[in-house]
C-alpha cells in the first residue's frame, strides 16, 4: 500500500487497540491478576521507547489505549478484559453493584504518577523495564519499573531489585552551594499473589454474591502495598554515594518509586465533593482537586537512578 500511496506513510496515527488478544469477554486467567497489569506496563513502555527514540513508528504515533473499559459478569468477573471485577448483587433490596479493583487498574494509577518530563525506557535482563521521570524543577521524581513475562508463569519468581538514588537528584529552592534539604520518598508495589483479589475470591469458593466480609477481604489486597516510606535530610554540596534500596519482589511485579522535595507545591483545593449511596451504610465519595497548570510531556535525560537486578 505504501508503494502505491506514499503519502500514507506520513500520516499520524494512534493505537487504540493495544491489547494483544482480541475478545474482551473471553475469560483468561492472566487477565485477572498481576500478569495483565505488568503486560500493560510493558506495552506502554515499548510504545514510549519508540516515541523517545524518534523512529519511523514513534514520530507518527500520537497515543495508545487499551480497550478494557468493560463491565464483567459472572462467572468471569475477574478473568475478562476489564479494569474492575463487577459483582451484580441481585439478591439485595434494592439490587446494587459492588466493584473490586484489579491489578491492571493499579498499574494505570502508578503510570499516572509519572512526572511531566520522562526519559527513554530502559530495558534490563530478566524482562525488566523502567521509566524515569521528573518535573521541570526536579522537585518531584518518579520511577516506575516492572518485570513481566506476558501471559506466561515465571519459573524464577523472586527478584532483588536494587536502586541507588543520588542525594542531589531531588532539589529544593536553594540559593547556596551547600544547604540542608529535606526529601521524602515512597515506594509502592503490586506483586504476584500479594495483590491478588482474584486468588482470594477463588479461595472463598468463587461466590457470585460475596458477603460484606468477603468483599472487605478482597479490598484489603486490591491496591499497591507500601514497601518503604521515609523522610531524610540531605546536605547538598557534600560527596555522597546516595541512598541504596534493595527490594525483594515476587514476579510479575510493578514498583513505583516517588521522591518529593519539601519545596514541592502542595495539592490544590478540593472542590465539588459528591456523596453517592451504594447500599445501606456504604457510600462512595467523589471530588475534584486543583492541580495547577498542566504541562505536556517532554523528555529528560539529565537525571539518573542506577538499577540492578538478580533472580532466584
Amino acid at each position: 500500500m505504501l508503494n502505491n500511496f506514499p503519502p500514507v506513510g506520513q500520516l499520524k496515527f494512534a493505537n487504540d487497540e493495544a491489547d494483544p488478544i482480541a475478545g474482551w469477554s473471553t475469560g483468561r486467567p492472566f487477565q485477572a491478576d498481576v500478569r495483565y497489569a505488568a503486560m500493560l506496563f510493558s506495552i506502554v513502555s515499548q510504545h514510549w521507547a519508540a516515541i523517545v527514540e524518534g523512529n519511523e513508528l514513534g514520530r507518527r504515533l500520537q497515543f495508545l489505549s487499551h480497550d478494557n473499559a468493560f463491565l464483567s459478569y459472572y462467572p468471569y468477573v475477574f478473568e475478562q478484559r476489564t479494569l474492575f471485577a463487577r459483582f451484580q448483587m441481585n439478591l439485595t433490596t434494592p439490587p446494587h453493584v459492588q466493584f473490586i479493583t484489579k491489578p491492571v487498574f493499579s498499574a494505570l494509577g502508578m503510570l499516572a504518577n509519572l512526572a511531566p518530563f520522562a526519559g527513554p525506557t530502559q530495558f534490563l535482563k530478566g524482562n525488566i523495564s523502567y521509566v524515569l521521570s521528573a518535573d521541570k524543577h526536579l522537585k518531584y521524581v518518579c520511577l516506575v519499573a516492572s518485570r513481566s513475562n506476558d501471559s506466561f508463569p515465571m519459573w524464577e519468581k523472586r527478584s532483588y531489585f536494587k536502586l541507588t538514588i543520588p542525594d542531589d537528584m531531588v532539589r529544593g529552592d536553594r540559593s547556596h552551594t551547600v544547604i540542608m534539604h529535606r526529601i521524602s520518598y515512597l515506594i509502592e508495589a503490586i506483586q504476584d499473589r500479594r495483590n491478588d483479589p482474584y486468588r482470594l475470591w477463588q479461595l472463598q469458593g468463587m461466590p457470585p454474591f460475596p458477603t460484606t466480609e468477603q468483599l472487605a477481604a478482597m479490598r484489603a489486597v486490591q491496591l499497591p502495598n507500601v514497601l518503604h516510606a521515609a523522610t531524610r535530610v540531605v546536605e547538598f554540596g557534600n560527596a555522597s554515594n546516595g541512598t541504596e534500596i534493595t527490594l525483594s519482589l515476587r514476579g510479575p511485579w510493578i514498583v513505583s518509586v516517588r521522591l518529593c522535595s519539601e519545596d514541592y507545591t502542595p495539592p490544590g483545593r478540593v472542590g465539588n465533593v459528591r456523596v453517592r449511596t451504594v447500599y445501606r451504610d456504604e457510600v462512595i465519595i467523589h471530588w475534584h482537586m486543583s492541580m495547577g497548570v498542566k504541562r505536556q510531556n517532554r523528555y529528560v535525560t539529565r537525571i539518573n537512578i542506577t538499577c540492578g537486578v538478580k533472580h532466584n
Side-chain angles (χ1 to χ4, degrees):
M1 184 180 71
L2 291 177
N3 291 333
N4 295 329
F5 305 97
V8 173
Q10 305 302 317
L11 296 177
K12 296 181 179 181
F13 66 93
N15 182 359
D16 63 351
E17 292 278 0
D19 277 285
I21 304 177
W24 78 269
S25 60
T26 302
R28 303 180 181 93
F30 82 88
Q31 293 176 160
D33 55 35
V34 183
R35 284 176 292 176
Y36 181 43
M39 178 187 293
L40 181 143
F41 176 85
S42 177
I43 293 171
V44 171
S45 63
Q46 290 178 57
H47 280 73
W48 178 245
I51 292 174
V52 176
E53 292 169 4
N55 59 30
E56 184 177 355
L57 170 68
R59 286 195 301 269
R60 296 185 289 122
L61 177 63
Q62 298 298 291
F63 66 87
L64 79 156
S65 67
H66 289 73
D67 194 15
N68 50 21
F70 298 102
L71 296 175
S72 63
Y73 52 82
Y74 189 84
Y76 307 111
V77 288
F78 281 95
E79 295 174 285
Q80 291 172 331
R81 195 206 313 150
T82 62
L83 299 174
F84 301 94
R86 181 180 65 144
F87 293 95
Q88 297 171 281
M89 311 297 280
N90 296 329
L91 300 184
T92 60
T93 304
H96 71 289
V97 173
Q98 295 280 350
F99 289 97
I100 300 296
T101 299
K102 292 169 55 175
V104 64
F105 184 77
S106 295
L108 292 176
M110 297 166 90
L111 284 168
N113 287 328
L114 288 169
F117 296 82
T121 303
Q122 303 294 327
F123 298 96
L124 306 177
K125 64 179 181 179
N127 292 334
I128 290 178
S129 58
Y130 69 88
V131 176
L132 181 62
S133 65
D135 71 342
K136 182 178 181 180
H137 302 290
L138 292 181
K139 294 181 182 179
Y140 173 75
V141 173
C142 177
L143 175 143
V144 180
S146 176
R147 182 185 178 207
S148 171
N149 198 32
D150 295 331
S151 61
F152 303 101
M154 288 186 170
W155 297 108
E156 295 177 331
K157 287 286 187 180
R158 184 64 57 180
S159 300
Y160 296 93
F161 191 58
K162 184 177 181 180
L163 304 171
T164 301
I165 304 172
D167 284 341
D168 61 350
M169 169 173 285
V170 180
R171 304 172 184 176
D173 296 329
R174 65 186 194 273
S175 57
H176 305 286
T177 304
V178 179
I179 190 171
M180 305 300 290
H181 182 61
R182 188 167 59 190
I183 294 174
S184 298
Y185 68 87
L186 177 69
I187 302 178
E188 300 173 290
I190 54 175
Q191 306 175 61
D192 177 55
R193 290 182 174 261
R194 184 166 184 178
N195 308 92
D196 192 351
Y198 171 59
R199 179 172 177 267
L200 182 56
W201 180 62
Q202 289 178 307
L203 295 175
Q204 293 171 348
M206 302 175 65
F209 311 113
T211 65
T212 301
E213 292 75 17
Q214 289 172 329
L215 289 169
M218 285 188 280
R219 287 178 177 138
V221 297
Q222 69 178 352
L223 297 176
N225 291 105
V226 175
L227 304 184
H228 293 280
T231 299
R232 61 192 302 263
V233 176
V234 174
E235 184 175 355
F236 289 97
N238 288 346
S240 172
N241 294 327
T243 301
E244 291 189 357
I245 301 172
T246 300
L247 305 175
S248 177
L249 302 166
R250 181 181 174 89
W253 49 261
I254 304 177
V255 63
S256 167
V257 181
R258 287 183 279 170
L259 299 95
C260 183
S261 163
E262 63 179 339
D263 297 323
Y264 187 69
T265 303
R269 181 184 297 273
V270 173
N272 195 20
V273 178
R274 292 154 292 156
V275 179
R276 298 285 185 266
T277 299
V278 176
Y279 179 68
R280 290 184 180 175
D281 296 330
E282 295 181 77
V283 297
I284 184 170
I285 302 175
H286 307 263
W287 68 88
H288 290 165
M289 179 179 292
S290 172
M291 300 302 292
V293 179
K294 188 175 182 180
R295 294 184 290 267
Q296 293 183 341
N297 284 345
R298 294 292 187 269
Y299 318 139
V300 60
T301 57
R302 56 177 176 155
I303 58 178
N304 181 56
I305 289 182
T306 303
C307 300
V309 64
K310 67 177 182 178
H311 311 294
N312 65 8

